[in-house]
Amino acid sequence: MVSKLGSRARVTTIACVLVAALAVAACDPVPSGGGVNPLTCLPRVTSAADYQRAFDQRGPVWSGGDGAVPVALPDGRTLWMFADTELGAVVNNRFVAPQSFVHNTFIVQTGTCFQPFVGGSAARPTEWFRNPAPGQYYWPASAVVDPSSRTLHVFLLLVVNVPGVAEWGFKTIGTRVATLSLPDLRVQSVSALPLPTAAGSPLYGSGAVVSGGYTYVYGNRQIATGWLPLGEEYVARVAANVTGAWQYWDGTGWSANATDAAPMTFLRADASVDDPPVAGLTVIPYGSGWLASAKRGEIISDDVTAWYSSSLTGPWSPVNLPDGRVATTVTDNAVNQFSYNGRVVVLPGSGPTVVYSVNTTNGPAKRLDAHLYGPRFATPVGLPAPDSLAARH
């Protein structure tokens, strides 16, 4: 694997989680939520290693998932959102039949305790966000708390099964926003967003953050085939409660015209223009500025890279020399394991932490080792303190 893409031509080898042009439709049915897994508590959670121990607890219902997007809730809990999830018992680290495979679940962290949430019931677990139609499902990508109503808005990628597409069998065809009540996380609605729908439009929703009365929503543009990422990162904004007109960053300011959207600028250490990551971007507050992170080449690179800016629109500069890498992902080549969804987050007890997902194309090996699939945690290397980065800008 490589940590740096030499040119955008290499993009054609990548199958990325954030894929496809947008398609806006009417509101989807409101899902129901249900059963929960048994509670797991640790004596302490003060490091990346502790988080790894927490999420290595598998079964008897929740037995592994990818995505692992943390969201700080107003009451001090942390919501962990997962996309594709294995459900079923695990014995001696092996999946035990019967197993089911769903496309979204939650784990709620309260202090040092972790409780998975699934839809349906413990006897018949399902997705938390019900599938909108046969062959379609949702992957939760990012979320923000609505400060006015204390509800949670979750940006969902709408995914459709398409056998033979990039040998992965899926493509993402749009973004939805789900509104959940707090503190119970019950789904109130799932609605389409008034975002551009033309082929090649940015697919917004990979990251989201609230600041100054707005929700800023990040996304990358896809090429016309509908599943290959192009490697351009965009940002749009809407009112903090995710209602009303959208505005799009045009390179110098905000425009109401979606066709004016321009990609954000990423810089090298010498301030020359760099290639942006070919992956969904996560942006979080970091001191007086903002920290963006992603894997530069998603599944074909072994990095997690971070950039800093004093503005939510960039330009984004690597946090360290030579290229901003803060972690190297660990995979087992013997079983065709790969890594994806890399990001830097700030977690209770642990502080800045690298989170990424691993999976394998070796199905038999996965059945024998449940931990070949799921989240990985690491302490970032070479990530400067916020004040140090702010001083450079």
Side-chain angles (χ1 to χ4, degrees), residues 89-315:
V90 174
V91 177
N92 295 327
N93 203 33
R94 296 184 179 189
F95 291 110
V96 177
Q99 289 279 324
S100 59
F101 185 72
V102 301
H103 297 290
N104 56 78
T105 56
F106 291 160
I107 289 181
V108 177
Q109 177 186 354
T110 305
T112 64
C113 294
F114 298 78
Q115 187 165 39
F117 282 65
V118 299
S121 65
R124 293 187 176 182
T126 64
E127 286 91 350
W128 193 257
F129 300 102
R130 190 173 62 222
N131 296 338
Q136 296 184 2
Y137 47 89
Y138 296 122
W139 284 337
S142 60
V144 294
V145 173
D146 184 342
S148 61
S149 62
R150 294 177 68 85
T151 56
L152 184 71
H153 299 300
V154 179
F155 293 96
L156 303 169
L157 301 183
L158 176 59
V159 187
V160 59
N161 287 331
V162 183
V165 174
E167 72 189 26
W168 297 87
F170 65 84
K171 66 177 180 179
T172 306
I173 60 173
T175 305
R176 299 289 185 265
V177 62
T179 298
L180 281 64
S181 58
L182 293 175
D184 60 9
L185 300 173
R186 294 291 174 175
V187 180
Q188 305 301 305
S189 64
V190 178
S191 303
L193 291 170
L195 292 171
T197 61
S201 297
L203 180 64
Y204 293 100
S206 67
V209 64
V210 174
S211 178
Y214 290 99
T215 291
Y216 292 78
V217 186
Y218 294 84
N220 55 5
R221 190 156 69 91
Q222 316 297 307
I223 65 175
T225 56
W227 59 269
L228 286 174
L230 185 62
E232 294 179 349
E233 300 289 344
Y234 293 77
V235 60
R237 71 180 187 180
V238 65
N241 61 2
V242 196
T243 62
W246 285 69
Q247 298 176 322
Y248 305 87
W249 177 249
D250 65 8
T252 59
W254 296 98
S255 171
N257 189 344
T259 61
D260 292 336
M264 297 182 294
T265 299
F266 287 75
L267 302 175
R268 295 187 176 91
D270 63 3
S272 61
V273 176
D274 194 5
D275 288 332
V278 184
L281 198 69
T282 295
V283 176
I284 61 171
Y286 198 65
S288 60
W290 305 93
L291 194 74
S293 58
K295 294 177 89 263
R296 280 187 176 269
E298 195 55 303
I299 65 172
I300 70 166
S301 70
D302 68 353
D303 70 299
V304 177
T305 295
W307 299 263
Y308 180 85
S309 178
S310 58
S311 169
L312 282 161
T313 58

Side-chain angles (χ1 to χ4, degrees), residues 364-390:
K366 185 176 177 181
R367 292 298 100 191
L368 296 175
D369 185 354
H371 292 132
L372 290 177
Y373 179 58
R376 294 290 183 270
F377 297 83
T379 301
V381 176
L383 177 62
D387 290 349
S388 174
L389 289 171

